[in-house]
Amino acid sequence: MKYFANTSWLFSGKIAQMFIILVVGVLVTRHLGPEKYGLLSYAISFTGLFSILTTLGLNELVIKGLINEASQKEKYLGTAFCLRFFGAIVSMLSIVMFTFLLTIEKDAKILIFVLMGASLFQGFTVIDLFFQSKVLSKYVIWSQLISLTIASICKVVFIILNVQLIYFAIITALQTVITVSGLIFFYLKTGNSFRIWNFDWVLAKSLIKDAFPLMLAGIAVVIYMRIDQVMLKSMVDSIAVGEYAAAVKLSEAWYFIPVAIASSLFPAILNAKKKDQRFYEKRLQQFYTIMVWIAITIALPFSLISEFICNMLFGAEYVHTGKILSIHIWAIVFTFVGVASGRWLIAEGYYKYSFYRTTLGAITNVGLNVLLIPKSAGIGAAWATLISYGASAFLLDIFILRLHGDLKRKILALSPRNIYFIIKNSLRDE
């Protein structure tokens, strides 16, 4: 019941966030038009390429440590905070360096510099990891909803006042600051204190060592999730980025579902592993199956009515957005199963395989973008995304013996009969 309540909080909060994001996002997208919206999306994607240098791939490792070594929470939180703050400095310096090394127009540079300022506050997001480990995601949801509501109101006011594009970048950056402020407030309100946080060099070295393959995997993930918009801007123009980004907004709006489920159930899966291997495997299979069929249930109707949806939401200016969405939306199937599989790799300590999978996906994505974007612009980028996500989720498992069990879980999850029997057996056992 504790995990169910936590998942309910996550879903309720994320659904509310998705609704606000879609409504306000559509207004912003229509107001700015493909060119300006494409420029803003490009700046967000460019800064996003360096986001992994801030998180350092520590999330699941810190959660795992907070669960397995609860008495050492101050050491884990303090060490993770310091590492993330250092990572944020490195991230900002890297962004500045690359903006001057690459040929980037002045307007785009200004937007990038505004957006990167939010990185300095990312260290405090370790509080989010603490609440996840305690199955108290409601505080995270409240923080996110408050910041999103404030940012959304500001964006609507900006639309009415017809302000310059830079103001939309400023409020996007400030949204992170407001979220962090909420996390700090709820952390202190629940009787916790920052004064007892402490940095432990031995733990830091251990986390960095274990997180290194996860960080490399994270770099690969960021590349094949964000590089398409950067490459579209470089190889085509801002309009192509705007059309593509509008479709991606609708497609990626659903990505909160696997993250919400995984964030809530990962502690349960770790606890099952400590108790009984058979129970652990059963929970994993249920996890995979539910993930896959939620994704298919979303992707199928969206792909069939994508052009109608995009014309209604964004208008006639976004000419190719409907076709792009009909392709890109199917990537959520591989995303959902990839999130589930990624948690299994962490539970088993197979960190290096996360790196191998995502690197394969990133290389595939970049290569296909080079081939397809010049011919088909955003539609080509959508096909590159779909194929590369599939390669990342399934291809490597075929060739590595240790991953054959994971491949079997994924195949079983795709069976329509399997979801019925798994849910039935789960309800009977409960």
Side-chain angles (χ1 to χ4, degrees), residues 42 46-47 49-50 53 90-105 108-109 112-113 116 219 223 227 230 234:
Y42 166 75
F46 187 89
T47 53
L49 287 173
F50 300 89
L53 296 177
V90 174
S91 173
M92 294 176 70
L93 292 174
S94 300
I95 289 172
V96 172
M97 180 181 69
F98 276 96
T99 52
F100 286 103
L101 287 176
L102 301 174
T103 305
I104 299 176
E105 59 192 270
K109 281 184 180 179
I112 289 168
F113 291 153
M116 77 176 186
I219 292 173
I223 287 174
I227 198 66
V230 175
S234 302

Side-chain angles (χ1 to χ4, degrees), residues 58 79-80 83 199-210:
L58 293 174
T79 303
L83 290 175
F199 178 82
D200 186 277
W201 180 244
V202 175
L203 177 60
K205 288 192 291 185
S206 175
L207 286 173
I208 292 171
K209 179 183 176 182
D210 289 340

Side-chain angles (χ1 to χ4, degrees), residues 34 56 84 91 106 167 209 244 319 380 388 391 416 418:
L56 298 172
R84 282 195 168 185
S91 173
K106 182 181 177 181
Y167 288 96
K209 179 183 176 182
Y244 182 80
V319 179
S388 62
N418 196 45

